[in-house]
Amino acid sequence: MPLRSTMRHSRHALFLATALASTLALGLTEDPDDPQEVPLPKAENLKLDEPTTEEALNKPREQEPGDDGDAQQAPAPEPAKPAEDKPAAGDNSEAGEETEAEPVAAKPLRLLGSEVPPATATRLAWSPSQHFEGVYSNTAVLVVNGAKPGPTLCLTAAVHGDELNGIETVRRVLYNLEPASLSGAVIGVPIVNLQGFHRGSRYLTDRRDLNRHFPGHPHGSSASRIAHSFFNEVIVNCDAVVDLHTGSFYRTNLPQLRGDLRNPKVVKMTRGFGSTVVLHSDGAEGTLRRAAVEAGIPTVTLEAGAPMVLDETSVSHSVKGIRTLLNQLGMVSKFRLWGDPEPVYYNSTWQRATTGGIIFSEVELGETVSKGDLLGTVTNPITNVRKEIRSEHNGRILGMALNQVVQPGFAAYHIGIQAPQEQISPPEEVTADTAEKSAAGLESSQQETATQPAEAAGEEEGLEEESADPGPISEKMAKPQAVSPEGEDD
């Protein structure tokens, strides 16, 4: 009996040991990382530098639910690279090379419900959750995620639907980037205001200016809801933003940057555009640029040309400036030299028509003028009475009205006056962690504005514009002047 009991205890012990060993083996075979979060669908790697047909555009959509998605997950075993560190224990020289190569691996970019792997160029789609008409077409979002880590730069165009130069600028920049040699990511939205673009209008279908409603409100007007959706789904994922615009209401602009020069990171961005004119302005309330800066994302506006026309000179200058900026941010290695190494910084003021009539200009865009110089004339077509518009300042023509019929008080000539050096903050590097900091700051700001009521119905076209009138220029400019008299800025 004692022998049987001993054997019985031995069998129980052996059974428990076997069960424990099998449990441990099962636990070791499971990947603890898999159940932590649901993986996002990987975006397809497209060749953005090659023209595509409508048939080619439809193919990826049909292949997405199939094996194509599984095939794209094949590069996932890349984390096995750290295994190469094993032979480094024997060779110190090789160990140094191995450790230096580790930071080269970039992270996937999570945007709009998709994951864009490193060294990938693709097209995504953004659509606001609510719309004035109830139905909204998807807006294309071009994404190039580089093979190396770096900042994320966002390019936005056609926030006003009648401004075409920025659309072509974004296309040229994005479709000529090489993902394999890019450090960081570039996000390009060629047409933000698709409603206005389809109608050839500056405004949304509800006659509101989208660029007076950022960062938007989830329970505001139609424009405010669209702005809120775009800002929170796209802009907050960026470390820096360039918002492309043209002149408005039959005005044209010399290629120029507008930014808050009190912000060191904004100053750093302006240095990246070579010899482009830089105009100091904190931006009108509700503009994308101002809202992004207030959220901690350095942003500049690039103005070039006139609305409803494509100007090759303006587009070429804009493309060259953005490519130079990419080099200054350490995102690409190519560099294009400008005629002058440093930008010229300006304050500005407007010269207005004192009477209504037909305006004819006597000066050209970019021309230097002195106080008392004749800028143009306004002639009454009925009485033939002619009034002259003469410069009240020494400066340069940064923007001007095209020859047209104008009303009394129409802002006709935008004169830049060189700014003193003490107005400009020392530059500060734009880093890849800006988006994370801005997202945290945005949450707190949204909590403060959550209780604010929706916009009043009086925010229709023209009502918010006069508040941005710069008035007379000041020498020290203790408080930066808004540039736009009629919504032209941004």
Side-chain angles (χ1 to χ4, degrees):
M1 293 296 293
L3 180 60
R4 289 182 179 179
S5 61
T6 303
M7 292 179 62
R8 192 175 300 167
H9 287 298
S10 299
R11 288 175 184 174
H12 282 297
L14 180 61
F15 175 79
L16 292 173
T18 304
L20 180 62
S22 62
T23 302
L24 291 174
L26 180 61
L28 290 174
T29 56
E30 292 181 350
D31 187 355
D33 296 333
D34 289 343
Q36 290 183 356
E37 58 181 12
V38 179
L40 294 175
K42 285 186 171 31
E44 183 182 4
N45 193 0
L46 305 175
K47 295 182 179 179
L48 292 182
D49 58 342
E50 296 181 2
T52 56
T53 62
E54 292 184 2
E55 296 179 357
L57 289 174
N58 293 330
K59 285 183 180 179
R61 296 181 181 178
E62 298 174 359
Q63 294 174 354
E64 280 179 4
D67 297 334
D68 195 29
D70 296 335
Q72 290 175 3
Q73 294 180 3
E78 288 184 356
K81 290 182 179 179
E84 298 176 359
D85 294 336
K86 293 181 179 178
D91 252 357
N92 292 335
S93 60
E94 293 181 2
E97 296 177 358
E98 296 281 345
T99 54
E100 289 179 0
E102 285 181 4
V104 175
K107 296 180 180 179
L109 176 65
R110 291 172 171 260
L111 183 69
L112 297 171
S114 297
E115 185 177 272
V116 183
T120 299
T122 190
R123 283 183 290 268
L124 303 178
W126 163 73
S127 178
S129 57
Q130 299 186 31
H131 178 253
F132 178 73
E133 297 172 346
V135 179
Y136 195 84
S137 301
N138 288 335
T139 298
V141 178
L142 309 178
V143 182
V144 180
N145 191 19
K148 305 172 186 177
T152 299
L153 176 66
C154 184
L155 308 177
T156 58
V159 174
H160 294 130
D162 61 348
E163 299 179 354
L164 307 182
N165 286 336
I167 300 174
E168 174 63 9
T169 300
V170 172
R171 184 194 68 81
R172 293 189 189 183
V173 172
L174 267 293
Y175 279 84
N176 285 280
L177 288 174
E178 293 292 340
S181 58
L182 180 67
S183 298
V186 180
I187 301 171
V189 189
I191 309 173
V192 177
N193 181 2
L194 201 59
Q195 296 180 31
F197 175 76
H198 285 158
R199 296 162 49 244
S201 171
R202 175 183 177 89
Y203 301 108
L204 297 168
T205 51
D206 64 350
R207 298 178 65 247
R208 293 179 187 268
D209 188 338
L210 177 60
N211 208 33
R212 291 298 181 272
H213 291 83
F214 286 102
H217 197 289
H219 305 296
S221 65
S222 174
S224 186
R225 296 181 188 214
I226 294 173
H228 179 269
S229 173
F230 183 72
F231 197 85
N232 287 273
E233 295 184 41
V234 178
I235 298 301
V236 296
N237 296 287
C238 306
D239 297 307
V241 178
V242 179
D243 190 22
L244 294 102
H245 287 266
T246 71
S248 63
F249 306 114
Y250 302 103
R251 297 185 188 90
T252 184
N253 284 329
L254 186 73
Q256 60 192 259
L257 288 171
R258 296 178 180 177
D260 185 355
L261 301 182
R262 299 169 303 180
N263 188 310
K265 290 187 177 181
V266 171
V267 175
K268 176 63 178 179
M269 290 183 67
T270 63
R271 297 273 176 97
F273 281 84
S275 56
T276 303
V277 168
V278 180
L279 185 58
H280 178 75
S281 165
D282 55 356
E285 189 73 31
T287 57
L288 173 59
R289 170 163 64 91
R290 180 163 177 169
V293 170
E294 289 177 350
I297 306 171
T299 304
V300 295
T301 297
L302 178 55
E303 294 263 357
M308 294 303 296
V309 293
L310 281 167
D311 175 15
E312 175 61 31
T313 301
S314 298
V315 172
S316 298
H317 186 106
S318 301
V319 171
K320 185 178 178 181
I322 292 174
R323 287 176 177 169
T324 307
L325 173 65
L326 290 171
N327 175 267
Q328 291 290 325
L329 296 178
M331 300 178 69
V332 297
S333 57
K334 295 180 181 179
F335 183 65
R336 297 188 172 217
L337 294 176
W338 294 81
D340 299 317
E342 293 292 336
V344 180
Y345 297 97
Y346 287 96
N347 300 323
S348 70
T349 187
W350 281 89
Q351 295 272 173
R352 298 177 177 272
T354 57
T355 61
I358 301 174
I359 186 171
F360 286 98
S361 294
E362 300 293 335
V363 293
E364 295 182 356
L365 203 61
E367 185 176 334
T368 301
V369 296
S370 300
K371 187 174 181 179
D373 286 354
L374 179 63
L375 303 178
T377 60
V378 179
T379 305
N380 187 313
I382 306 302
T383 64
N384 201 33
V385 175
R386 179 175 299 176
K387 294 285 186 178
E388 295 181 343
I389 303 177
R390 292 189 175 272
S391 177
E392 299 175 1
H393 304 275
N394 299 323
R396 188 180 182 191
I397 304 297
L398 303 183
M400 58 185 289
L402 302 175
N403 292 339
Q404 59 183 290
V405 176
V406 299
Q407 298 296 324
F410 186 83
Y413 301 97
H414 197 191
I415 301 178
I417 305 169
Q418 191 161 353
Q421 187 63 33
E422 56 266 20
Q423 288 182 353
I424 306 165
S425 299
E428 182 179 319
E429 293 294 333
V430 177
T431 57
D433 60 347
T434 305
E436 298 177 2
K437 295 179 180 179
S438 63
L442 183 64
E443 290 183 5
S444 60
S445 63
Q446 285 179 343
Q447 291 176 359
E448 295 177 1
T449 59
T451 57
Q452 295 180 0
E455 291 86 347
E459 289 180 339
E460 297 180 357
E461 62 176 288
L463 295 185
E464 78 279 59
E465 294 163 354
E466 285 301 325
S467 62
D469 192 336
I473 196 68
S474 60
E475 295 182 359
K476 295 185 177 180
M477 197 175 60
K479 183 177 181 180
Q481 315 253 351
V483 174
S484 169
E486 273 112 5
E488 184 178 0
D489 182 34
D490 306 69

